[in-house]
Amino acid sequence: MCGIVGAVARRNVVPILIEGLRKLEYRGYDSAGIAIMNGAMERVRAVGRVAELEVRTRELHADAPTGIAHTRWATHGGVTEKNAHPHFSKADGIEISVVHNGIIENHDALRRRLKQAGYEFVSDTDTEVIAHLLHSHVAAGATLFDAVQTTVRELEGAYAIAAISKTEPDTVVGSRKGSPLLLGIGNAGSGHGENFLASDTSALLQVTKYVAYLEEGDVVEIKPDGYRIVDRDGKPAERPIVESQLSSDSIELGNYDHFMQKEIFEQPGAIANTLEMVANASSLSPGLFGANAEEVFSRTQQILILACGTSWHAGCVAKYWIEALAGIPVSVEIASEYRYRDSVALPNTLVLTISQSGETADTLAALQHAKTLGLRDTMTICNVPESALIRQSKLRFLTRAGPEIGVASTKAFTTQLASLFVMTLVLAKLRQRLSAEREKELLQQLRHLPAAMNHVLECEPTVRHWANRFAPKQHALFLGRGVHFPIALEGALKLKEVTYIHAEAYAAGELKHGPLALVDREMPVVVVAPNDVLIEKLKSNLQEVRARGGELFIFADRDTHIEPSDGINIINLGDHAGPLSPILHVVPLQLLAYHAALARGTDVDKPRNLAKSVTVE
């Protein structure tokens, strides 16, 4: 959601800025822009894709050693060029340009104040107040670095900003609070000659692998020959420089048609990487989750899971696992709802946050709310090692899925599930609910998981055929029972996200309590049908659908004894995988959504109105 790139160098940075924006396209956006300094300040903006912005910069022969760039996902104000970033403030020979991720909650009050001071607003955004505030402080004699420090103290909400000023043509200043921003150090980490800012490491791999992650409230100034950072109190600060392990190849499409397709097929490898630490282990240790994990887990009497979207579905699966195997009560809260209701904070609660990016604004806010209620035992399962959630949690487990570019999450979900299952086994073992023999058996099943997933992926040709039949539909129903009900929810979400087909998921036993009214011959019904203890109950639900003329599309295990016939389509995925079955059964649902989207001609990797990393409320 929105992206920032900034650069100062002794060469033309326009190609760097444009390429950086291109690497941030996966985050979701609707317009893009660039502002550069080369004697005069110039700005180019475009509604639509970065490619259009690139065409415009070439037409203008844009060339400058200093600049900032942005991809915008609309919040305040419609998708128009006047609302695209960067935003300007220009008067009395002073020119300021700023880009911003996040939401300024007190922008109305600031706008009124600035209008009274004579500033004219030309956009509908909250961001424009930042540009005018910076201008007012620079006009009063402040340097851009000082002006940013003063300005951010006046802002309420979340932000990552980068700004340039005509008065300091070789300087970019940035700051962050509640939204990610990192410093890229050029020339093999020396910082001499060029330096960069970005909201995501992937934007800077073209120029450097050496980055420093800014902390809450930090303000950073970059120049060609160096940089400086102050913390939220204005005191000089040092942030460790790390060499990013992210590979430029990992964010390229390769031989695949779309990132979503690539990431679906990367899942066996992603799970193998995630489980690498347990692959050769004869038993599981709490130390997998941090040095204090055994102490925290031993006193845990209940678990509160906070997450959004796909990660919330992973938490719902984990609830079934943890309660069944470890005997610990679990509540799963939608993070965006949790902090806005009166909840009961029980002692000895482990707060578990789940996020692909680790920067999800609602989940971060929910974690902070839980802490204010006195819940201090915290853990995060996340895909990004230096993310805010990881830094703010006592315990952590990295999913090692690699970069996920497609907006619709696939490999992040299955690696989250694998991580949650490992956690479940550790908790069960600490409570003497997991015998050594059973532990050995389940570890072997985990080791076999990548191979089992490769087998499931072989169903793609049949799924593609089904998807062509889904393409003309406007509605779909997904059914599952028990631990597979959240998998049905995830399947419906994937279909909605990338095809724009309205899809709902229900626990199959709820059919007769309302959803059955929707079933007719135009309503495809997708069923997750593992060969578990609920299979006979599920078969009765299928008969309810067929009796109303609904067409069934069933993903089953072998030996379920469900036979294909008129109105009953079935794909057998293999032998039942026991408690790991949900991780396998979600894969064909991902394939169904992907191929149905192709058949409908939608933008698979960048579905409308959605963003990859939701860094605003």
Side-chain angles (χ1 to χ4, degrees):
M1 179 176 289
C2 300
I4 289 174
V5 189
V8 289
R10 293 193 175 94
R11 57 172 166 154
N12 180 19
V13 300
V14 173
I16 297 170
L17 297 173
I18 294 294
E19 181 61 20
L21 292 186
R22 188 176 287 112
K23 298 303 183 187
L24 297 178
E25 286 189 288
Y26 76 93
R27 295 169 68 94
Y29 70 104
D30 43 54
S31 60
I34 183 172
I36 55 176
M37 274 298 308
N38 190 6
M41 187 176 290
E42 298 180 70
R43 174 176 60 172
V44 184
R45 297 182 293 178
V47 171
R49 295 305 184 197
V50 170
E52 173 62 23
L53 179 68
E54 183 178 21
V55 169
R56 295 191 184 186
T57 58
R58 285 179 176 173
E59 289 173 346
L60 294 172
H61 304 289
D63 185 326
T66 302
I68 53 177
H70 190 264
T71 51
R72 176 181 186 251
W73 187 83
T75 54
H76 293 72
V79 182
T80 62
E81 188 170 314
K82 74 172 184 177
N83 289 331
H85 297 214
H87 287 286
F88 265 16
S89 185
K90 179 178 179 180
D92 301 324
I94 297 170
E95 297 181 32
I96 301 289
S97 184
V98 66
V99 292
H100 162 231
N101 293 350
I103 290 178
I104 305 305
E105 295 174 356
N106 61 333
H107 73 97
D108 278 335
L110 292 172
R111 181 181 289 251
R112 287 193 297 270
R113 192 183 95 196
L114 288 162
K115 281 185 174 180
Q116 290 173 356
Y119 285 96
E120 181 181 352
F121 284 79
V122 297
S123 78
D124 306 312
T125 70
D126 55 336
T127 302
E128 196 175 357
V129 302
I130 303 174
H132 292 320
L133 281 172
L134 289 173
H135 186 281
S136 68
H137 298 309
V138 171
T143 64
L144 184 61
F145 187 60
D146 291 337
V148 169
Q149 291 181 70
T150 303
T151 293
V152 296
R153 287 194 286 268
E154 300 177 78
L155 304 179
E156 296 175 9
Y159 55 79
I161 63 173
I164 57 176
S165 171
K166 185 179 178 181
T167 58
E168 300 174 59
D170 64 345
T171 302
V172 178
V173 179
S175 183
R176 69 157 297 234
K177 175 189 172 188
S179 193
L181 190 69
L182 57 90
L183 165 67
I185 296 96
N187 289 350
S190 70
H192 295 296
E194 54 190 42
N195 290 291
F196 310 93
L197 295 178
S199 51
D200 191 312
T201 309
S202 61
L204 300 183
L205 289 178
Q206 54 171 318
V207 287
T208 184
K209 296 191 73 172
Y210 293 92
V211 298
Y213 295 92
L214 301 178
E215 297 188 4
E216 289 284 278
D218 280 358
V219 177
V220 58
E221 175 188 76
I222 61 173
K223 292 176 177 288
D225 289 328
Y227 61 89
R228 56 173 167 159
I229 303 171
V230 296
D231 63 19
R232 69 179 72 198
D233 298 319
K235 297 178 180 178
E238 292 186 9
R239 303 299 177 218
I241 299 171
V242 298
E243 183 177 1
S244 173
Q245 300 305 304
L246 190 62
S247 163
S248 58
D249 291 341
S250 65
I251 57 175
E252 298 295 339
L253 194 54
N255 295 323
Y256 293 92
D257 294 325
H258 301 90
F259 281 106
M260 184 177 181
Q261 180 191 34
K262 178 188 179 188
E263 288 152 11
I264 290 172
F265 279 86
E266 284 179 337
Q267 288 177 112
I271 284 181
N273 290 336
T274 297
L275 297 176
E276 183 180 16
M277 289 184 290
V278 302
N280 299 313
S282 57
S283 63
L284 293 169
S285 164
L288 291 167
F289 300 91
N292 299 320
E294 184 168 1
E295 175 190 349
V296 172
F297 287 170
S298 295
R299 64 172 173 258
T300 296
Q301 295 179 1
Q302 52 273 318
I303 297 174
L304 168 64
I305 297 178
L306 303 172
C308 299
T310 286
S311 296
W312 182 75
H313 294 156
C316 291
V317 173
K319 175 182 171 70
Y320 283 92
W321 283 339
I322 294 169
E323 292 189 344
L325 296 176
I328 301 173
V330 178
S331 59
V332 189
E333 296 267 4
I334 297 172
S336 58
E337 291 291 320
Y338 169 69
R339 68 189 178 112
Y340 292 115
R341 69 177 186 83
D342 295 327
S343 57
V344 178
L346 299 174
N348 299 317
T349 295
L350 173 62
V351 180
L352 172 61
T353 55
I354 309 172
S355 169
Q356 188 283 134
S357 68
E359 303 287 350
T360 307
D362 287 317
T363 308
L364 280 164
L367 174 61
Q368 293 305 315
H369 178 64
K371 288 181 178 180
T372 65
L373 297 178
L375 303 179
R376 298 300 176 187
D377 287 341
T378 57
M379 176 177 159
T380 286
I381 289 177
C382 179
N383 194 38
V384 181
E386 295 295 335
S387 62
L389 277 173
I390 287 288
R391 295 197 304 270
Q392 294 177 27
S393 298
K394 186 179 295 184
L395 308 177
R396 74 281 308 272
F397 193 95
L398 290 172
T399 55
R400 299 181 65 188
E404 190 177 63
I405 306 301
V407 167
S409 181
T410 52
K411 63 177 180 175
F413 179 66
T414 50
T415 53
Q416 285 170 354
L417 290 179
S419 305
L420 288 161
F421 191 75
V422 172
M423 176 185 175
T424 299
L425 297 185
V426 169
L427 291 169
K429 186 176 179 180
L430 285 173
R431 281 159 177 73
Q432 287 78 50
R433 292 173 62 99
L434 186 69
S435 68
E437 182 179 354
R438 180 61 171 157
E439 180 185 12
K440 183 178 179 181
E441 176 188 343
L442 291 173
L443 277 172
Q444 181 55 36
Q445 289 184 25
L446 278 171
R447 295 185 191 105
H448 180 66
L449 191 56
M453 188 169 284
N454 273 319
H455 175 73
V456 170
L457 286 165
E458 293 174 2
C459 75
E460 184 185 26
T462 306
V463 173
R464 185 187 297 116
H465 173 68
W466 284 10
N468 289 330
R469 297 164 62 188
F470 264 72
K473 304 297 184 182
Q474 297 303 314
H475 307 277
L477 195 62
F478 285 67
L479 302 177
R481 295 203 72 143
V483 70
H484 292 85
F485 168 47
I487 299 304
L489 287 168
E490 176 63 11
L493 177 61
K494 289 283 102 52
L495 195 72
K496 281 183 279 197
E497 285 178 315
V498 298
T499 70
Y500 318 143
I501 294 172
H502 169 241
E504 290 190 72
Y506 280 90
E510 286 292 290
L511 263 178
K512 53 188 169 290
H513 297 288
L516 205 55
L518 298 171
V519 174
D520 60 20
R521 64 183 60 196
E522 293 301 317
M523 173 73 81
V525 180
V526 181
V527 184
V528 183
N531 190 21
D532 60 12
V533 296
L534 292 172
I535 188 62
E536 296 304 323
K537 298 284 187 184
L538 183 63
K539 288 179 181 178
S540 298
N541 303 136
L542 305 188
Q543 291 303 317
E544 294 169 354
V545 172
R546 285 302 299 137
R548 275 79 180 174
E551 185 171 12
L552 292 163
F553 295 84
I554 305 170
F555 294 102
D557 292 335
R558 271 196 287 264
D559 300 325
T560 55
H561 303 294
I562 303 173
E563 299 299 328
S565 63
D566 182 41
I568 300 179
N569 309 279
I570 187 166
I571 294 177
N572 288 306
L573 302 178
D575 296 328
H576 182 50
L580 295 176
S581 174
I583 303 177
L584 297 178
H585 270 273
V586 77
V587 173
L589 301 183
Q590 297 168 346
L591 288 170
L592 179 63
Y594 170 71
H595 285 290
L598 292 188
R600 287 172 68 90
T602 62
D603 191 339
V604 178
D605 290 332
K606 306 182 188 74
R608 67 188 185 198
N609 304 332
L610 299 180
K612 182 63 180 175
S613 181
V614 185
T615 56
V616 298
E617 262 196 273

